[in-house]
Amino acid sequence: MQTVRLALVGFGNVGRALVRLLERKRALLASQYGLEWVVTGIATGRHGMAVDPQGLDVQEALRLAESGQSIDALCRGPRPASMLDFIRACPADVLFENSPVNHHTGQPAIDHLRTALECGMHAVTANKGPVVHGHALLTETAARSGRKFMFESTVMDGAPIFSLFRQPLPASELMGFMGILNSCTNLMLEMMEQGRELDDVIRYAQSIGIAETDPSADVDGWDAAIKVAALITVLMGEPFTPQQVVREGIRGLSAEDIRAALDAGERWKLVCTARRENGQIHAQVAPQRVPSTSPLYSVGGTSSFVQFEMDTLSGLGILESNPGPDTTAYGLLADLLNALGKTNG
């Protein structure tokens, strides 16, 4: 039986969902994969840090964090002074980095992941920023350290997008893709079809936890753009940033626009596209009217969809229906097993 030591940077909805999923899967991980786990460190932005080489009481950590209290009391020894000190001080085999995304630079998550790799840990993240702004650096650092940099949960949560291209599609060239990659705006547009105003649906999305206090990342298309950039960077082999994506959000859509589309048998969707043409990659995020014949038409609620066009397959689509924190947590768990060589992927 192998015991793997885990450290977590970020203990919000996703980090807590991961711990709960690990607990739920504890018996299965032991019986099918010969794997035991222990969390030796948790670092949060607002609720303190704790390191215990013998293993933290994760149930107590969950209770403290969810009640708004500090987890500092769980720390055995001096409290680390910073996130980087935490990573260096934490005896762990794998770091899960789930701090808030920085669409413009990917920091400080890039430094967190690089430090973990240099300390001999596998680095797993659901943070899109490091994939876009630090993919080459982190991949090279992982190779030098003999460790893995994994990021399946960064686009479409736990759906196997990146791993699909690692093994099942050998010698296939990706020419382009199109889809709906921001579930928050997809739900907002659906609610606007029911006659609700944009400000109202933003408040609703915030109330259920799928939009931030500042909703601009979703509403103005930044979240969709960074996901497009991540797919291009990793799957098409071209470094690409969200700033290079032609971007338009949904703020400009009026109630009249929504009704006009419905009257014509169409729906507005925030459509993401990328295509390689004459050696150049062109990428866009923009609201578009889609007809009922489009595969995007019936993608509802907080679901996401992407369709890939390859030189070998003209269209391969993946639909993820109404994901939540557990879905993202599953992508992190899958990355953990892949990093440890516990699967065939």
Side-chain angles (χ1 to χ4, degrees):
M1 189 73 68
Q2 177 184 0
T3 298
V4 59
R5 302 167 300 171
L6 310 176
L8 284 71
V9 168
F11 202 50
N13 289 338
V14 171
R16 297 196 296 267
L18 173 62
V19 168
R20 290 196 176 93
L21 179 62
L22 287 165
E23 286 281 18
R24 193 165 77 245
K25 296 284 186 181
R26 187 181 286 275
L28 182 146
L29 292 172
S31 63
Q32 294 192 16
Y33 298 97
L35 189 67
E36 295 279 1
W37 61 271
V38 60
V39 174
T40 54
I42 299 174
T44 77
R46 292 181 296 174
H47 302 300
M49 302 182 191
V51 176
D52 187 342
Q54 302 305 310
L56 294 168
D57 181 341
V58 293
Q59 294 303 321
E60 181 64 5
L62 287 168
R63 187 191 69 79
L64 290 170
E66 291 181 340
S67 62
Q69 300 180 64
S70 173
I71 64 171
D72 283 355
L74 302 179
C75 192
R76 180 173 294 186
R79 181 190 185 279
S82 68
M83 285 291 184
L84 295 183
D85 287 341
F86 164 82
I87 295 168
R88 295 185 184 105
C90 192
D93 305 300
V94 180
L95 175 79
F96 291 102
E97 208 291 340
N98 296 307
S99 64
V101 62
N102 182 326
H103 298 87
H104 303 289
T105 68
Q107 292 289 12
I110 293 173
D111 287 343
H112 298 163
L113 293 161
R114 180 175 60 180
T115 301
L117 291 165
E118 290 172 345
C119 289
M121 305 177 200
H122 298 295
V124 180
T125 189
N127 191 324
K128 297 170 283 290
V131 178
V132 169
H133 296 286
H135 182 259
L137 169 67
L138 294 170
T139 301
E140 292 165 4
T141 304
R144 286 198 307 271
S145 303
R147 294 295 181 264
K148 297 289 183 65
F149 168 47
M150 309 291 283
F151 42 84
E152 191 63 80
S153 290
T154 56
V155 177
M156 288 179 65
D157 309 287
I161 302 298
F162 297 107
S163 57
L164 178 69
F165 284 82
R166 290 193 194 106
Q167 292 291 335
L169 296 171
S172 186
E173 183 181 356
L174 180 60
M175 309 303 296
F177 58 86
M178 67 96 178
I180 296 170
L181 297 177
N182 182 265
S183 57
C184 181
T185 50
N186 199 55
L187 176 63
M188 290 178 181
L189 290 171
E190 188 172 88
M191 295 177 70
M192 290 174 71
E193 291 175 345
Q194 301 163 10
R196 299 175 68 168
E197 296 293 332
L198 178 61
D199 287 345
D200 181 33
V201 301
I202 288 175
R203 286 191 293 270
Y204 174 77
Q206 290 168 331
S207 74
I208 64 172
I210 65 170
E212 300 294 334
T213 303
D214 177 1
S216 58
D218 296 308
V219 176
D220 295 331
W222 281 110
D223 177 75
I226 199 169
K227 289 174 179 175
V228 168
L231 292 176
I232 293 170
T233 298
V234 179
L235 301 183
M236 301 181 78
E238 293 283 347
F240 218 82
T241 70
Q243 290 82 3
Q244 292 175 268
V245 178
V246 177
R247 177 184 52 82
E248 179 185 351
I250 66 170
R251 287 189 195 272
L253 291 180
S254 66
E256 291 74 18
D257 294 325
I258 300 292
R259 283 196 297 271
L262 292 174
D263 290 343
E266 298 177 340
R267 305 178 75 185
W268 284 98
K269 297 291 183 181
L270 187 63
V271 180
C272 302
T273 57
R275 184 165 182 81
R276 192 190 305 271
E277 296 177 348
N278 301 319
Q280 298 288 323
I281 293 179
H282 304 275
Q284 176 179 278
V285 169
Q288 296 180 23
R289 285 170 55 159
V290 300
S292 59
T293 53
S294 168
L296 305 182
Y297 183 88
S298 60
V299 179
T302 57
S303 300
S304 299
F305 174 82
V306 64
Q307 180 170 296
F308 296 106
E309 179 187 348
M310 290 158 280
D311 60 339
T312 51
L313 295 171
S314 58
L316 176 65
I318 297 178
L319 172 68
E320 183 183 39
S321 297
N322 297 311
D326 284 352
T327 318
T328 305
Y330 172 70
L332 295 169
L333 172 59
D335 275 347
L336 169 66
L337 293 173
N338 275 299
L340 297 175
K342 296 291 185 180
T343 72
N344 294 324

